[in-house]
Amino acid sequence: MRIAFLGFGEAARAFHDSLAPKLGDGEFRAYDLLLDNADKASEMQAAMTTRGVRPEASPAGLADTEWIFSAVTADQSLKAAQSIAPHPGQGALLIDINSVSPGRKRETAALINETGADYLDMAVMAPVHPKGHATPVLIAGKSAAGLLERLRDLGFSADVAGEAVGSATAIKMVRSVFVKGLEAITVEALLAAEASGCFEEILASLSGSFPGLDWSKFPDYQFERTTRHGRRRAAEMRESGVTLDALGLNGGLAREIAAVQDEMAASGVKPAADLRDTVARVLSARRQGK
């Protein structure tokens, strides 16, 4: 089996690392825009070659593979599809795991289907580590039901969300408003508590009111996720905003969450073992960035 990755960041690498042992003699290829970046090409190429993945000079090099996983940043998903659309042959399958709105996935599906290739809407419903491709996913599209058994045989933890493209990503986009919103609320509240001189009081109050969140670990995790992955999460939340707008709801809420995620990433802080130290350093960086 020949599998390709259009975009070879964290999600693609995690999928490859757990999927490769399942395929035995399977062949892997990848193309990423960073291969064209003089400062980052060598690092990206090394990430591919050390895994036995063949780097390709352009999306055209992925053309004769059976499955192509599109795993780029949310804002690049349509451009990625446009770059690959002229190349796949009949019977090829583009598996779109990008965190984008239902409308974006329908637009992408139409583009891919016009070429004679097939399209699968796949929504990754949890962090890709440590399970890799076995992370729970939802799939949607005309071929979703027919692909379910094959995906499960390869170790995917997959369920069908519906026959209509967008059904899987809709669940992800709506859920993300809560998940990424909870991250944003947590970090902003604790930063405000530090700035106000009432950090310990706020932390004790929240711990007492919401004991099920395990405040010995919960806030550290929120700071780690937002500082490390804030850029990608912000892009996803802007797509959640588009999703809410299309439903006649408040997409501005998701965009405000995106703004917090962006600011956390821009702080450049690497969380420490001591939560208070992390909060103080993020607060200082955020203030300097204003």
Side-chain angles (χ1 to χ4, degrees):
M1 187 174 185
R2 300 182 306 281
I3 290 180
F5 294 98
L6 184 58
F8 202 67
E10 181 186 21
R13 296 177 197 186
F15 270 39
H16 166 270
D17 292 351
S18 58
L19 186 56
K22 297 278 187 180
L23 291 181
D25 295 331
E27 177 189 331
F28 290 91
R29 305 179 197 174
Y31 170 75
D32 192 290
L33 280 174
L34 292 184
L35 290 173
D36 303 324
N37 184 312
D39 295 329
K40 299 179 179 180
S42 59
E43 180 182 348
M44 177 57 68
Q45 187 162 17
M48 295 176 182
T49 56
T50 55
R51 289 173 165 84
V53 176
R54 190 172 89 192
E56 295 293 347
S58 73
L62 312 179
D64 62 340
T65 55
E66 297 170 60
W67 288 0
I68 303 171
F69 286 91
S70 178
V72 298
T73 56
D75 59 329
Q76 293 294 311
S77 71
L78 185 58
K79 290 181 180 178
Q82 290 168 340
S83 76
I84 195 70
H87 308 298
Q90 292 283 341
L93 174 69
L94 181 78
I95 303 175
D96 188 345
I97 70 170
N98 297 305
S99 298
V100 297
S101 68
R104 174 74 66 78
K105 288 212 171 179
R106 287 191 288 269
E107 187 177 3
T108 305
L111 176 68
I112 296 300
N113 290 155
E114 283 179 359
T115 70
D118 203 358
Y119 176 94
L120 186 69
D121 168 14
M122 178 179 282
V124 183
M125 301 304 293
V128 292
H129 294 295
K131 294 184 177 181
H133 81 290
T135 302
V137 298
L138 297 174
I139 59 174
K142 62 183 181 181
S143 60
L147 285 166
L148 184 62
E149 183 176 353
R150 189 177 184 192
L151 286 166
R152 287 178 173 174
D153 285 345
L154 287 172
F156 284 85
S157 178
D159 288 297
V160 176
E163 186 175 332
V165 168
S167 300
T169 201
I171 296 171
K172 166 101 180 209
M173 288 292 98
V174 174
R175 181 179 181 275
S176 289
V177 174
F178 179 85
V179 175
K180 275 69 174 183
L182 185 58
E183 292 172 355
I185 290 170
T186 302
V187 299
E188 287 295 281
L190 292 182
L191 290 169
E194 178 70 13
S196 301
C198 57
F199 182 85
E200 295 297 341
E201 291 83 354
I202 292 295
L203 189 62
S205 177
L206 292 174
S207 300
S209 297
F210 305 98
L213 292 176
D214 187 2
W215 287 81
S216 66
K217 300 177 181 177
F218 174 73
D220 299 86
Y221 185 71
Q222 308 309 296
F223 273 86
E224 189 276 332
R225 300 305 289 175
T226 54
T227 54
R228 183 179 178 188
H229 301 294
R231 291 289 186 212
R232 188 177 70 232
R233 295 165 110 69
E236 179 179 328
M237 289 315 302
R238 284 188 281 273
E239 288 296 312
S240 287
V242 173
T243 303
L244 293 181
D245 285 342
L247 295 171
L249 298 173
N250 184 8
L253 173 62
R255 286 184 283 276
E256 287 299 323
I257 295 169
V260 172
Q261 295 279 356
D262 265 334
E263 289 177 358
M264 291 298 290
S267 74
V269 171
K270 292 184 178 180
D274 181 71
L275 174 64
R276 188 74 180 271
D277 176 62
T278 298
V279 172
R281 288 187 293 117
V282 172
L283 178 61
S284 176
R286 290 271 302 270
R287 282 172 162 170
Q288 291 175 17
K290 292 296 186 181

